[in-house]
Amino acid sequence: MPCVPIQNSAELMLDPQVAALGMLAPEPGSGVAMVAMPFNVDGEKPPIRTPSPTRAETEAMREQLDAAIAAGANPFDRLFG
């Protein structure tokens, strides 16, 4: 049976082991801590290169996707076609 302290999100982000493993990385442009890439390349975690999309950008993407689906397009054709 594991015996570890149960942490909330704020405590987890301040945990020394999280810092030692480099599990958080700043988001470009905002400095907000985000979960870093879960793997290493040549001993280093790949950097986060772009910020997360804004709410407006996400809604615009969803509208485009909904319109494509309504028009009968398969949105995965570009990926797997």
Side-chain angles (χ1 to χ4, degrees), residues 7-60:
Q7 300 176 325
N8 63 30
S9 298
E11 293 168 335
L12 182 63
M13 293 180 78
L14 296 174
D15 189 288
Q17 188 66 20
V18 170
L21 294 174
M23 296 174 72
L24 298 175
E27 180 183 48
S30 73
V32 173
M34 296 181 62
V35 176
M37 293 291 195
F39 56 87
N40 292 333
V41 176
D42 294 331
E44 295 185 19
K45 290 192 180 292
I48 298 172
R49 297 183 191 270
T50 59
S52 300
T54 65
R55 182 179 178 119
E57 291 169 332
T58 302
E59 288 175 0

Side-chain angles (χ1 to χ4, degrees), residues 55-78:
R55 182 179 178 119
E57 291 169 332
T58 302
E59 288 175 0
M61 286 186 271
R62 182 176 177 177
E63 288 172 6
Q64 291 173 1
L65 182 59
D66 288 344
I69 292 170
N74 182 343
F76 298 104
D77 283 345
R78 290 189 342 182

